[in-house]
């Protein structure tokens, strides 16, 4: 490219720079003239700055709104050591009653030589007064342990409300159809469906009421205990050992006598039953032996009566035969 072409290209570039600068200057002057229009009336669509009442909530206000919308079930367990659990149980009942609460269960066990006194109460306290009642309960004695649990049931509450609202609308529609129906078959079908929907509505309503009751009234189990019993000291010398052994022997003999006294009526009953059984066996044995002896005697008597005639009617030859002496005398010499 020659020097003439280079000069032409330079002039073109310089002209473009000048045009760019002029356009920027005119744009700045236009913007400066348009600034007073900012104070004009805001558009009807609310594009301007909203008043304070229409501005969005701050983070603290949003957090407070969320806490108010939450449904929380609070349950807890509290153990307190007091001087007299029975009297303290009455004080707990008075505190709960003053807070417009109620007592679901109450169990009291007086103290003995081997068992400490205790009382257990399950109380329902309004949720907005739960912390105040808890602070009052701490003043009854020495708090051994406290356990609190919270469960958020907001989603469950909203789900129940939505289902109840839908079912209520359906029930109202079915009642309107029932009032307008003329056919018997339609009446039967509508009444059947209405009964089903009403049952579902009642069940959901009862479930929501129970949930609301748990939210409105926090549940707290209060266990009141007395001081622990000190163990008895054991023997520490020879004589105290003898006394302890003698007391143990007396206790053993007393227990043995009690066992014998309990068993004695049963032993007497068993002895009577055994005597009756033995008597029956003895009588049965004697009866069998007498029958056998009578049968033997009868057999022996019949045998002797038959043998006597046989001996009397011996052979005639033996009776008529001469004796040996007579034969020798009559023999001739």
């Amino acid at each position: 490219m020659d020097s003439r072409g280079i000069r032409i290209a330079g002039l073109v570039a310089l002209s473009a720079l000048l045009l760019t600068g002029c356009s920027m200057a005119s744009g700045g002057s236009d913007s400066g003239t348009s600034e007073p229009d900012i104070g004009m009336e805001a558009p009807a669509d609310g594009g301007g700055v909203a008043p304070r009442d229409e501005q969005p909530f701050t983070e603290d206000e949003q957090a407070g709104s969320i806490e108010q919308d939450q449904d929380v079930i609070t349950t807890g367990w509290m153990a307190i050591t007091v001087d007299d659990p029975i009297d303290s149980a009455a004080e707990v009942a008075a505190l709960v009653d003053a807070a417009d609460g109620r007592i679901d269960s109450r169990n009291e066990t007086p103290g003995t030589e081997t068992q400490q006194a205790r009382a257990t109460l399950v109380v329902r306290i309004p949720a907005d007064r739960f912390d105040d009642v808890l602070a009052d309960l701490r003043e009854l004695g020495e708090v051994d342990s406290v356990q609190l649990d919270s469960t958020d049931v907001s989603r469950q509450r909203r789900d129940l409300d939505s289902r109840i609202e839908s079912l209520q609308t359906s029930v109202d529609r079915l009642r309107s159809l029932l009032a307008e129906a003329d056919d018997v078959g339609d009446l039967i079908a509508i009444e059947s469906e209405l009964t089903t929907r009403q049952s579902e509505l009642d069940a959901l309503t009862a479930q929501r009421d129970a949930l609301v009751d748990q939210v409105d009234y926090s549940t707290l189990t209060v266990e009141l205990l007395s001081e622990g019993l000190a163990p008895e000291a054991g023997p520490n010398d020879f004589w105290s050992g003898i006394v302890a052994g003698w007391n143990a022997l007396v206790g053993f003999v007393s227990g043995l006598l009690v066992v014998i006294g309990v068993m004695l009526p049963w032993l007497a009953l068993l002895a009577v039953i055994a005597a009756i059984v033995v008597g029956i066996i003895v009588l049965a044995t004697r009866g069998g032996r007498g029958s056998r002896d009578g049968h033997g005697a009868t057999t022996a008597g019949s045998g002797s009566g038959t043998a006597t005639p046989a001996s009397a009617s011996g052979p005639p030859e033996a009776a008529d035969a001469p004796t040996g002496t007579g034969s020798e005398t009559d023999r001739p010499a």
Side-chain angles (χ1 to χ4, degrees), residues 86-102:
I86 308 301
D87 293 342
S88 298
E91 296 181 10
V92 172
L95 289 174
V96 173
D97 184 67
D100 295 331
R102 65 177 186 268

Side-chain angles (χ1 to χ4, degrees), residues 68-300:
Q68 291 177 359
D69 293 339
Q70 284 183 339
D71 293 321
V72 179
I73 296 177
T74 303
T75 58
W77 179 81
M78 188 177 190
I80 308 174
T81 300
V82 295
D83 296 334
D84 190 349
I86 308 301
D87 293 342
S88 298
E91 296 181 10
V92 172
L95 289 174
V96 173
D97 184 67
D100 295 331
R102 65 177 186 268
I103 299 177
D104 282 355
S105 66
R106 181 173 177 175
N107 185 18
E108 299 177 357
T109 303
T112 60
E113 295 181 356
T114 58
Q115 181 180 358
Q116 62 183 133
R118 64 189 307 163
T120 303
L121 298 90
V122 178
V123 299
R124 304 292 304 279
I125 306 170
D128 55 349
R129 304 190 63 179
F130 182 77
D131 293 336
D132 297 336
V133 175
L134 194 64
D136 293 337
L137 291 176
R138 292 179 182 272
E139 298 178 359
L140 294 178
E142 182 180 356
V143 179
D144 298 327
S145 61
V146 177
Q147 180 180 354
L148 300 177
D149 298 320
S150 297
T151 304
D152 188 358
V153 293
S154 303
R155 182 176 300 179
Q156 185 178 355
R157 169 73 180 275
R158 289 192 297 267
D159 179 65
L160 287 173
D161 289 340
S162 177
R163 295 170 63 185
I164 289 173
E165 184 178 358
S166 299
L167 280 174
Q168 186 64 54
T169 303
S170 178
V171 167
D172 294 340
R173 187 183 304 113
L174 288 173
R175 287 176 178 173
S176 299
L177 294 175
L178 184 63
E180 298 175 356
D182 296 331
D183 186 66
V184 177
D186 294 341
L187 287 173
I188 294 175
I190 294 173
E191 286 182 353
S192 177
E193 187 64 22
L194 179 60
T195 302
T196 303
R197 298 293 177 87
Q198 187 65 46
S199 299
E200 295 177 0
L201 179 61
D202 294 340
L204 290 178
T205 304
Q207 185 177 352
R208 185 189 61 181
D209 293 343
L211 186 66
V212 170
D213 180 73
Q214 291 179 352
V215 172
D216 294 341
Y217 289 86
S218 301
T219 304
L220 180 65
T221 301
V222 182
E223 187 170 3
L224 304 172
L225 304 172
S226 61
E227 295 291 341
L229 298 175
E232 296 182 359
N236 52 7
D237 55 11
F238 177 75
W239 292 109
S240 61
I242 292 179
V243 172
W246 174 257
N247 293 333
L249 178 61
V250 171
F252 172 77
V253 173
S254 299
L256 183 61
L257 292 176
V258 171
V259 172
I260 294 175
V262 172
M263 295 294 296
L264 188 60
W266 296 96
L267 294 175
L269 178 61
L270 292 176
V272 172
I273 295 174
I276 294 174
V277 172
V278 170
I280 293 173
I281 294 174
V282 170
L283 291 177
T285 303
R286 290 180 178 179
R289 185 180 299 173
S291 300
R292 289 195 300 271
D293 293 344
H295 181 69
T298 305
T299 305

